[in-house]
Amino acid sequence: MGERAKALLVDDRRDNLLALEAILQGLPVTAVAVESGEAALKQLLTDDFAVILLDAHMPNMDGFETASHIKRRERTRHVPILFLTAADRDAQLALRGYAVGAVDYLTKPFDPWVLRAKVSIFVELWTKNQQLKVQAEASKEREAQWQRLTGTVDDAARVLRAGGEDAAAEALDLLEKARWGD
């Protein structure tokens, strides 16, 4: 598999992005930092993310509008969003965050260890999901191989039932080709 989980960090303040990158240091995740909701949406067109850390208050497109766009897209609607905000503990803002699809809403200053723990969980879930996709693909390929082999055995059996002087050689040839993947 080999693909490393990514976390999308979205904040209009560069110093906040640097702080988030420092907090995530050492986790098995690649941090991708952008400074606007628009940049986040563009990034989501090309990359897959395990989690999005999204500032609620940004100029132009705020975090709530950005989250709304993210959740409307088929490709990104499943990506967990953690809202981060410097606003006081206004319950209405938290409810608004949850209403647009956030899985959590943290107010600054927050405990960096709590954020690390939350991100770790989403990275682990993403990694397990990737492993399941790989296993499902391998299972699908094994099933396809099984179907091809079963079809070849059926063909060889039909040739043998039909008889004829070369039936055994023809059936054996079918089976040998299937065995070696020809």
Side-chain angles (χ1 to χ4, degrees), residues 67-130:
S68 179
H69 285 292
I70 291 168
K71 292 301 180 179
R72 276 187 284 208
R73 291 181 179 173
E74 182 64 36
R75 177 185 164 130
T76 58
R77 72 172 29 123
H78 66 281
V79 181
I81 298 172
L82 299 174
F83 268 112
L84 308 174
T85 183
D88 59 7
R89 299 179 187 275
D90 182 350
Q92 288 302 100
L93 286 179
L95 288 175
R96 186 173 172 208
Y98 293 125
V100 294
V103 296
D104 209 348
Y105 192 95
L106 302 174
T107 56
K108 301 172 192 171
F110 48 81
D111 183 337
W113 294 105
V114 170
L115 181 61
R116 282 177 64 86
K118 290 174 185 281
V119 168
S120 291
I121 294 294
F122 290 116
V123 166
E124 187 176 326
L125 288 171
W126 183 87
T127 302
K128 297 281 187 211
N129 199 20
Q130 296 306 108

Side-chain angles (χ1 to χ4, degrees), residues 54-72:
L54 181 58
D55 182 26
H57 299 288
M58 295 183 292
N60 301 323
M61 183 186 299
D62 69 11
F64 302 108
E65 186 180 350
T66 303
S68 179
H69 285 292
I70 291 168
K71 292 301 180 179
R72 276 187 284 208

Side-chain angles (χ1 to χ4, degrees), residues 1-178:
M1 192 179 80
E3 189 178 356
R4 187 174 160 104
K6 295 177 187 170
L8 182 60
L9 317 178
V10 188
D11 198 306
D12 61 312
R13 294 188 51 192
R14 187 75 198 130
D15 56 333
N16 287 343
L17 290 171
L18 291 172
L20 289 173
E21 288 172 340
I23 290 169
L24 299 181
Q25 197 95 40
L27 293 180
V29 65
T30 300
V32 177
V34 296
E35 295 183 13
S36 70
E38 294 88 349
L41 294 175
K42 285 179 185 172
Q43 195 68 47
L44 286 162
L45 290 173
T46 58
D47 289 327
D48 293 322
F49 291 91
V51 64
I52 300 169
L53 306 182
L54 181 58
D55 182 26
H57 299 288
M58 295 183 292
N60 301 323
M61 183 186 299
D62 69 11
F64 302 108
E65 186 180 350
T66 303
S68 179
H69 285 292
I70 291 168
K71 292 301 180 179
R72 276 187 284 208
R73 291 181 179 173
E74 182 64 36
R75 177 185 164 130
T76 58
R77 72 172 29 123
H78 66 281
V79 181
I81 298 172
L82 299 174
F83 268 112
L84 308 174
T85 183
D88 59 7
R89 299 179 187 275
D90 182 350
Q92 288 302 100
L93 286 179
L95 288 175
R96 186 173 172 208
Y98 293 125
V100 294
V103 296
D104 209 348
Y105 192 95
L106 302 174
T107 56
K108 301 172 192 171
F110 48 81
D111 183 337
W113 294 105
V114 170
L115 181 61
R116 282 177 64 86
K118 290 174 185 281
V119 168
S120 291
I121 294 294
F122 290 116
V123 166
E124 187 176 326
L125 288 171
W126 183 87
T127 302
K128 297 281 187 211
N129 199 20
Q130 296 306 108
Q131 290 170 347
L132 286 173
K133 285 179 185 177
V134 168
Q135 289 172 353
E137 196 56 43
S139 178
K140 195 181 205 181
E141 179 56 35
R142 282 191 302 275
E143 178 63 26
Q145 286 176 327
W146 178 253
Q147 292 297 327
R148 286 191 299 272
L149 288 173
T150 302
T152 301
V153 168
D154 289 346
D155 291 345
R158 270 193 290 283
V159 167
L160 290 171
R161 278 191 208 99
E165 60 186 63
D166 294 329
E170 189 179 335
L172 187 57
D173 186 49
L174 284 171
L175 294 171
E176 285 292 327
K177 284 181 180 175

